[in-house]
Amino acid sequence: MGEMAQLLGRVTASAVRQPIGYWGDVRDQMFDTLRLCWLPMAVSCMAFGFGAPGLQAGNLYLLFGIPERLGSFFVMASVREFAPWINAMVVAGVVGTAITADLGARRIREEIDAMEVLGLDPVRVLILPRIIAVTIMTGLMDLVALAFGVLGGYLAALMVGASSAAFTANFFANATTTDIWASVAKTTIFGLIISVVCCYKGFHASGGPAGVGRAVNQAVVIAFAAIWSFNFIFTTILLGLAPEIQVYR
């Protein structure tokens, strides 16, 4: 963790001291992230929203005769929790693994060593654009994840007999600006964690092709554990600072 923090410090210092020259690579990496992740992320969020919190919670609410309250439940289920979580899982599984494998392959082929011999900074050239791009795009794609997650819950509400107007009214009666910005901020930090972990593991891969495979596996596991741990801390602080969002109307 200390070495990962040092890597993040090097990237931050390089980006701040020379804030030009890398935005073209950032743009390309952002486009690749969007192209690879938006469809599986949208499908996963919609399917999960329809099945797990949608139908399961909808049938539970139906037992009490309040299926329309599913709309208020989805503020907590989708906006605060599972949409950011699924978004981060998809980014880590698709883009994070690709970053680790690419940097690991460059390391074992000694391309990174060659760059250092030529006087190029591999952290600035290879790692900086990837960290900025993944961080920004993970946060922006959270808005898409929220939309598809709520859409899955909406379809589930219709399946259990709730009216469309009641679901929508309950959702917007409970959704707050704090919920939205906190969800986007949390997911953006998820993207930062994923990109730093995956870049570090790929940059320090060793042991040939088998070592690259181990680095990819370790990167995904560490990234998952890190974002789950951070989610616990973030949610605890958020609910402590904004207790009013725990009141359902």
Side-chain angles (χ1 to χ4, degrees):
M1 290 180 62
E3 292 180 355
M4 291 178 188
Q6 289 179 348
L7 176 62
L8 178 59
R10 288 182 61 186
V11 169
T12 303
S14 178
V16 172
R17 290 172 181 170
Q18 292 181 290
I20 58 175
Y22 54 79
W23 290 106
D25 293 333
V26 171
R27 179 198 60 220
D28 295 339
Q29 293 292 332
M30 290 174 66
F31 175 75
D32 288 340
T33 301
L34 179 63
R35 176 176 58 86
L36 295 172
C37 291
W38 80 267
L39 182 58
M41 180 267 298
V43 172
S44 299
C45 286
M46 186 171 177
F48 191 89
F50 179 81
L55 290 180
Q56 297 291 345
N59 281 294
L60 179 62
Y61 281 15
L62 186 62
L63 293 176
F64 297 97
I66 52 171
E68 68 278 355
R69 297 297 293 176
L70 192 61
S72 55
F73 172 73
F74 259 77
V75 175
M76 182 273 292
S78 179
V79 176
R80 296 182 198 167
E81 292 303 328
F82 85 75
W85 176 72
I86 292 177
N87 184 17
M89 296 298 101
V90 172
V91 171
V94 177
V95 177
T97 55
I99 289 175
T100 307
D102 178 52
L103 294 178
R106 292 173 184 268
R107 171 62 73 182
I108 65 171
R109 292 199 302 261
E110 300 182 349
E111 292 182 19
I112 295 176
D113 297 330
M115 292 178 65
E116 293 173 343
V117 170
L118 294 173
L120 297 175
D121 182 4
V123 172
R124 180 176 178 85
V125 175
L126 299 176
I127 295 179
L128 173 60
R130 287 168 168 81
I131 289 180
I132 294 177
V134 173
T135 301
I136 294 174
M137 287 308 303
T138 306
L140 292 179
M141 287 194 300
D142 181 55
L143 298 174
V144 181
L146 297 183
F148 279 94
V150 174
L151 177 60
Y154 174 79
L155 297 177
L158 298 181
M159 290 285 291
V160 299
S163 70
S164 173
F167 178 93
T168 305
N170 275 276
F171 178 82
F172 286 105
N174 289 275
T176 65
T177 305
T178 302
D179 289 310
I180 304 301
W181 75 255
S183 178
V184 174
K186 177 172 68 174
T187 313
T188 302
I189 299 175
F190 284 171
L192 178 63
I193 293 172
I194 293 167
S195 58
V196 170
V197 169
C198 293
C199 285
Y200 172 82
K201 297 303 294 185
F203 192 72
H204 293 278
S206 61
V212 176
R214 287 193 299 271
V216 171
N217 179 69
Q218 293 170 1
V220 172
V221 172
I222 294 172
F224 283 5
I227 62 177
W228 291 336
S229 301
F230 176 78
N231 182 61
F232 168 75
I233 298 172
F234 185 95
T235 303
T236 302
I237 295 175
L238 175 65
L239 296 180
L241 295 177
E244 67 277 4
I245 68 176
Q246 300 183 66
V247 179
Y248 288 92
R249 303 164 185 85

